């Protein structure tokens, strides 16, 4: 089958793993790249043998490019997605789908109107870690899932990232940066969420860039850096979740645990595709290491893109979809909304694998 030709927009830190992994894809051929800083695009093209370097506008005008991979900063995700869809191209974006729900709904509505596909990272939930846990749940190893915990406890990226300021701008923070991995895993394992209750805050507002040419520059923190709350799921399960950039002494809390009526599952870091999954049955004092559902590497970014293109050919829904990402976005946005308004937030969206109507918060013609 002829590979679908694709272009990558955004040639920053994360792009290298996409160039590397997609080089051997049976479904896609990356033939072009673009970046607001043209030197970045030229450097990636030279490093990975990409034949064409364009501006964003030039890339979207190329008739032979059918698929856009959007690796821009979060604040640009929606604009690039929408421009790509308006240009008649399928699009897959890094997480999060958008900064606002209005932007997210526009992406879904335009894709539906034009008969195009929109996908979104993370695709880590397609890896062996989460899928091994899912198989264990579906086979009844822990009985009925009734609760879960998810903890992302760290000190923030300013110590190592050369340009970390966007992590602390609107649309950043630990929930929007790392939350998609955890929330997507929970939705994959427990189904859609129904309401959120949370408290959030900027617990450590004084930050400085710790490395690179901007080292020592103060960072203006504009978004919550510690978010703690509960997620109620349509199934009845209740999850406790914390995401934080304020934990400078480290933590011994688990990444994700799923609690059932007959046992507990313990998962590894959902930022990775693989990882051990352990089972502790009711009445046992020992953890049992489960056999992985399949072999998988630590960083398989692009797995969702391959699944998406295969699904286009087979005329079925794709797994790392913008619909799922929209539900994840509403869950994450609801943490801050709940804290600000002092109430439970009842979610308007839902998600199950398969076709669902697009949300109608925004008119796609706007």
């Amino acid at each position: 089958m002829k590979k679908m030709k694709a272009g990558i927009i955004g040639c920053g830190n994360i792009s290298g793993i996409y160039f590397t992994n997609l080089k051997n894809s049976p479904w896609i051929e990356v033939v072009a790249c673009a970046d607001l800083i043209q030197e970045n695009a030229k450097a990636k093209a030279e490093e990975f043998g990409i034949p064409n370097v364009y501006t964003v506008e030039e890339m979207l005008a190329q008739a032979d490019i059918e698929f856009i991979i959007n690796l821009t900063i979060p604040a640009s995700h929606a604009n690039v997605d929408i421009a790509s869809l308006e240009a008649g191209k399928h699009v897959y974006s890094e997480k999060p789908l958008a900064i606002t729900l209005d932007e997210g709904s526009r992406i879904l509505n335009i894709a539906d109107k034009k008969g195009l596909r929109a996908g979104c990272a993370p695709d880590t939930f397609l890896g062996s870690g989460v899928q091994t846990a899912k198989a264990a749940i579906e086979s009844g190893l822990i009985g009925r899932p009734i609760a879960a915990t998810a903890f992302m406890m760290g000190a923030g990226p300013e110590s190592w990232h050369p340009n970390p300021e966007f992590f602390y701008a609107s649309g950043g923070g630990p929930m929007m940066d790392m939350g998609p991995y955890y929330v997507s895993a929970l939705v994959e394992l427990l189904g859609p969420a129904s309401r959120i209750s949370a408290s959030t805050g900027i617990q450590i507002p004084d930050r400085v860039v710790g490395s690179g040419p901007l080292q020592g520059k103060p960072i203006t923190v504009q978004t919550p850096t510690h978010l703690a709350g509960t997620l109620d799921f349509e199934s009845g399960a209740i999850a406790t979740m914390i995401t934080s950039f304020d934990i400078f002494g480290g933590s011994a809390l688990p990444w994700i645990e799923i609690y059932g009526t007959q046992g507990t599952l313990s998962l590894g870091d959902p930022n990775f595709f693989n990882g051990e999954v352990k089972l502790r049955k009711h009445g046992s004092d020992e953890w049992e290491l489960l056999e992985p559902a399949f072999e998988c590497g630590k960083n398989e970014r692009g797995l969702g893109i391959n699944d998406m293109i295969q699904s286009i050919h087979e005329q079925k829904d794709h797994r790392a979809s913008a619909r799922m990402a929209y539900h994840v976005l509403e869950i994450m946005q609801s943490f801050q909304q709940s804290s600000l308004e002092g109430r439970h937030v009842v979610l308007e969206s839902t998600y199950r694998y398969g076709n669902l109507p697009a949300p109608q918060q925004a008119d796609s013609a706007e």
Side-chain angles (χ1 to χ4, degrees), residues 321-336:
S321 71
R323 296 191 187 284
M324 181 180 189
Y326 181 89
H327 185 57
V328 169
L329 177 63
E330 186 181 9
I331 290 170
M332 297 190 300
Q333 293 278 1
S334 295
F335 269 69
Q336 188 169 4

Side-chain angles (χ1 to χ4, degrees), residues 235-251:
S235 65
I238 300 171
T240 301
M241 182 174 179
I242 301 175
T243 64
S244 185
F245 282 166
D246 297 335
I247 311 302
F248 282 77
S251 170

Side-chain angles (χ1 to χ4, degrees), residues 49-288:
I50 306 303
N52 301 295
V53 175
Y54 297 125
T55 66
V56 173
E57 293 76 15
E58 288 171 343
M59 181 180 292
L60 296 182
Q62 301 302 311
D64 63 327
I65 294 178
E66 303 174 72
F67 196 103
I68 297 296
I69 301 165
N70 177 7
L71 307 182
T72 59
I73 63 172
S76 299
H77 286 176
N79 287 339
V80 172
D81 275 10
I82 289 168
S84 301
L85 292 166
E86 293 286 12
K89 304 180 190 304
H90 307 292
V91 64
Y92 180 95
S93 170
E94 250 301 329
K95 49 75 185 171
L97 176 66
I99 299 303
T100 69
L101 292 176
D102 186 67
E103 289 175 335
S105 66
R106 286 194 66 204
I107 292 168
L108 297 189
N109 291 330
I110 294 170
D112 282 352
K113 178 182 177 181
K114 291 186 168 288
L116 295 166
R117 297 293 187 100
C120 187
D123 51 0
T124 45
F125 71 90
L126 298 176
S128 61
V130 172
Q131 292 304 313
T132 298
K134 185 174 184 178
I137 292 171
E138 291 178 344
S139 66
L141 284 181
I142 63 168
R144 177 173 58 88
I146 57 171
T149 54
F151 299 113
M152 197 296 293
M153 313 289 278
E158 67 269 22
S159 65
W160 58 268
H161 198 284
N163 186 25
E165 293 177 274
F166 74 90
F167 288 103
Y168 295 96
S170 177
M175 180 60 76
M176 295 291 278
D177 178 42
M178 296 299 295
Y181 301 107
Y182 292 78
V183 177
S184 296
L186 291 175
V187 170
E188 177 74 357
L189 295 173
L190 299 174
S194 58
R195 71 174 188 172
I196 306 296
S197 176
S199 294
T200 70
I202 299 174
Q203 306 301 85
I204 301 177
D206 299 320
R207 311 267 179 165
V208 296
V209 180
S211 63
L214 300 177
Q215 185 173 358
K217 181 182 179 181
I219 297 172
T220 301
V221 180
Q222 305 174 57
T223 193
T225 52
H226 189 93
L227 303 94
T230 56
L231 301 81
D232 296 345
F233 288 83
E234 291 180 13
S235 65
I238 300 171
T240 301
M241 182 174 179
I242 301 175
T243 64
S244 185
F245 282 166
D246 297 335
I247 311 302
F248 282 77
S251 170
L253 290 169
W255 283 287
I256 294 179
E257 289 187 344
I258 307 293
Y259 311 105
T261 54
Q262 297 298 319
T264 296
L265 290 172
S266 179
L267 286 71
D269 188 342
N271 186 25
F272 301 125
F273 288 77
N274 58 7
E276 294 182 344
V277 179
K278 297 178 182 178
L279 167 68
R280 184 172 172 180
K281 294 286 289 182
H282 174 63
S284 174
D285 294 330
E286 302 295 329
W287 289 94
E288 171 191 351

